[in-house]
Amino acid sequence: MGVLFVRFEHWGHTSRLYGWREIQSVYERASGAAMGMLGHGLRQLDLPADLGLRGEGFAILLSGPRESADLGLEIVDLVADRVADLVRELLSDGVAAELMERTTIEVGAGLVNRPEAAGTLEDALVAGLVEAERSAREKHAARLVEMGDHLRSALDEGRLTTLFQPIAAIESGKTVAFDAVVQGPLYSNLQHGDVVFDVAERTGQELRVLDLYHHATLSAVDDALDGAEQLVLRATAEELLESAVRLMSLLYHREPARITPANVLFLVGSDRLADHFPAGLSAWRSVGDMGFRLCVDLSPNRPLPLDYLKELSPDVVRVSGRLVRDVHRHQDEFEYLLMLSRFTTRHDMRILAADCIDRREFTTLRRAGVSYVQGEFVAPCVPTLSRPELILP
């Protein structure tokens, strides 16, 4: 008997942008899609089964061949490839496009052999399932290598581009900053900047991506940044100081030097800051002493302890994804923002809310004490600096 293991991998900030219920729905839809394959892609005697693996993937038990010959791994692997294509195709119609673009699906193949004299059917089933799960992981490893190669080619050929999303002051509606968002080639799941950085981290290309992204961003804005306007640039906790030193060199080799460190707001993820706290605190403060401004990007999955945040004392705290989306409908998220607003006000920090898409969210963010906002409600990401002004009630 053959066994397939359908395994999912999420890239970038999937869990920040989408709640666990939305991500769980992908598994449920995929499991339902497998059931729908019976008689179409799978034989009626095949058995899609959760087997207690929800959240990791699910298994499909393949019935034995109609002929007397034993089922071979090559045949099961061919079925695995066909099932993977069908699951992807069926999911593409029912799952949000941006969620699917951050999701890869691989199907591994294994065999459930007849139990040995001292073994049981359960032992044989577990052994086959382990083989199929290992096969799925190997396919994901190969997919990561492929994505890393695509990223390397994009770096070599200069095909990483920078887009800019305006950030508005929530009280005046005027543009005060621009978030520089890197975009990879529109293939192999690299079209989103958070995925680009995720693949870069997993394949050891992070610093190279940061260098190219920072350099390309400065070249793109050139003399277009006005006075006190901020430019939001991503960095990592581990590479923050080195990134700041390299960027400082770029800034002061430009003539005339209209952009100074005071115009740059480094955005650093809270999850990796927590991993490097307090060791990274001195580097963080050194970057601040160089004149750069600093922003902590709070992860809803792993909130940074308030005493850490107080010690870091960033200029700005950024919230995004499911902390902002539909906040007008979610009392818990609203109360979290209220608490954060009181804390940041007390310690002279400001809150930036990203991913705001409509007026209802904007009005609720304003009530919560948020200072700055970005997202489709303000303006989309575009290749050049634009300065829309919100029409406020």
Side-chain angles (χ1 to χ4, degrees), residues 205-361:
Q205 303 179 75
E206 201 164 35
L207 188 55
R208 191 180 175 205
V209 169
L210 286 170
D211 272 349
L212 182 63
Y213 155 62
H214 291 162
H215 193 282
T217 300
L218 290 182
S219 299
V221 299
D222 201 19
D223 296 332
L225 203 67
D226 290 341
E229 288 179 336
Q230 299 290 307
L231 186 63
V232 179
L233 294 177
R234 281 149 183 77
T236 65
E238 304 95 316
E239 308 291 354
L240 176 61
L241 184 56
E242 185 164 356
S243 291
V245 171
R246 289 170 181 248
L247 191 62
M248 181 75 82
S249 176
L250 287 175
L251 291 176
Y252 285 104
H253 279 86
R254 295 169 63 83
E255 294 293 342
R258 293 191 58 185
I259 301 175
T260 70
N263 295 111
V264 175
L265 180 67
F266 275 119
L267 177 71
V268 185
S270 62
D271 43 3
R272 293 172 71 173
L273 274 171
D275 289 337
H276 293 81
F277 196 91
L281 190 56
S282 60
W284 175 272
R285 289 172 174 167
S286 294
V287 173
D289 290 341
M290 292 165 67
F292 292 104
R293 299 186 70 200
L294 295 161
C295 176
V296 172
D297 190 17
L298 286 186
S299 168
N301 305 320
R302 187 180 174 189
L304 196 66
L306 292 182
D307 59 334
Y308 285 24
L309 196 56
K310 181 180 176 181
E311 286 299 317
L312 291 166
S313 189
D315 300 281
V316 180
V317 175
R318 183 178 184 261
V319 293
S320 60
R322 52 195 174 89
L323 288 176
V324 175
R325 289 182 175 178
D326 290 330
V327 66
H328 55 287
R329 296 177 181 171
H330 299 150
Q331 186 67 25
D332 292 341
E333 280 76 3
F334 177 68
E335 290 180 0
Y336 175 80
L337 289 180
L338 282 175
M339 180 276 296
L340 187 63
S341 176
R342 290 194 295 269
F343 176 84
T344 54
T345 299
R346 187 164 60 251
H347 295 290
D348 196 27
M349 308 170 196
R350 300 292 180 265
I351 299 177
L352 162 63
D355 302 319
C356 177
I357 64 172
D358 61 32
R359 183 167 294 278
R360 292 170 301 175
E361 290 176 357

Side-chain angles (χ1 to χ4, degrees), residues 116-129:
E116 298 180 0
T120 65
L121 179 59
E122 183 180 355
D123 294 333
L125 179 60
V126 169
L129 185 61

